[in-house]
Amino acid sequence: MNIGIIGAGNVGSALAGAAVRAGHSVSVTSADPAETDATARTTGARAVGSNREAVELADIIILAVPAKVVVDLVSKLGDALGGKTLVDVTNRPTPDLERKRCTSSAEEVQEAAPNARVIKAINTVFAGRQAEPALGGDQADGYVAGDDPEAKQAVLEFVESIGLRPFDVGPLAVARTLEGMGWIHISLAMEHDWSWQSAWKLVGPTTQ
């Protein structure tokens, strides 16, 4: 697959490296050209000069930017996102007491880009586990939510290709739950000074 990653921080870099190792063609961009170039050098991805260029080259675009800027970023890309598969991996405080709407970042991305196919995925996995999904021989889980069946299937295949155990957890509205899970994970790591290497995982039989 052709993967475009917008954002070259911890998450963008981790996913770029994982995607390159999985055999995907990866383009990466960010607001900081030096950070973009450094991520490209260390991961084997291709550095591109703008968000629009990353979108044009990609089958799947991963939004690896802070939640507070993701909707504005998507809005500025406008018609360039028509028909594109966007993967929102962001997390924001849940519940966010400053916000009046009971919705998810992913649903707001879909509202800002109505002609895109928005998928929520990978937000429950820390960057360290995105880069190295194995946990003592077990795979970390990769939960995927979205309304477009074709786009969701492509993202499930991508999630599996980078080493996560993929689960289709339902429509895009389930992103509200996934973002809550992501924030619980972040909060626990901060409160207990964990190493940011833990992961969500269903245990026990998952087949009949």
Side-chain angles (χ1 to χ4, degrees):
M1 296 181 192
N2 293 315
I3 307 298
I5 300 177
I6 300 177
N10 289 341
V11 170
S13 180
L15 289 174
V20 168
R21 287 194 300 274
H24 300 292
S25 176
V26 182
S27 299
V28 63
T29 187
S30 75
D32 183 345
E35 186 175 54
T36 300
D37 289 342
T39 293
R41 285 195 303 272
T42 58
T43 64
R46 173 188 176 189
V48 296
S50 70
N51 295 342
R52 188 170 292 270
E53 185 177 358
V55 166
E56 290 173 350
L57 293 169
D59 302 313
I60 293 176
I61 301 113
I62 297 174
L63 303 172
V65 298
K68 64 183 179 181
V69 304
V70 69
V71 170
D72 184 57
L73 182 155
V74 167
S75 297
K76 288 178 179 177
L77 285 167
D79 293 342
L81 298 175
K84 293 288 187 175
T85 297
L86 303 184
V87 181
D88 174 24
V89 302
T90 66
N91 283 305
R92 67 186 183 202
T94 306
D96 186 344
L97 301 181
E98 295 182 359
R99 303 183 71 87
K100 302 297 183 182
R101 299 176 64 184
C102 296
T103 186
S104 65
S105 174
E107 289 169 289
E108 291 177 6
V109 167
Q110 183 68 85
E111 184 177 340
N115 295 320
R117 304 187 296 177
V118 177
I119 304 294
K120 189 75 183 187
I122 316 176
N123 71 295
T124 61
V125 185
F126 290 148
R129 292 274 65 85
Q130 293 168 4
E132 188 59 53
L135 290 166
D138 290 329
Q139 292 173 288
D141 289 345
Y143 307 121
V144 178
D147 294 333
D148 185 289
E150 183 180 2
K152 188 193 293 187
Q153 183 58 40
V155 175
L156 285 163
E157 291 173 7
F158 172 75
V159 165
E160 184 172 28
S161 76
I162 64 172
L164 296 167
R165 186 173 64 154
F167 284 94
D168 180 345
V169 296
L172 191 62
V174 177
R176 304 174 194 182
T177 300
L178 293 182
E179 291 177 15
M181 291 171 65
W183 190 250
I184 287 171
H185 202 190
I186 291 167
S187 298
L188 287 171
M190 293 173 64
E191 180 178 354
H192 299 290
D193 196 25
W194 289 352
S195 63
W196 300 88
Q197 298 299 307
S198 56
W200 288 96
K201 184 171 181 63
L202 291 170
V203 296
T206 56
T207 58
Q208 292 184 346

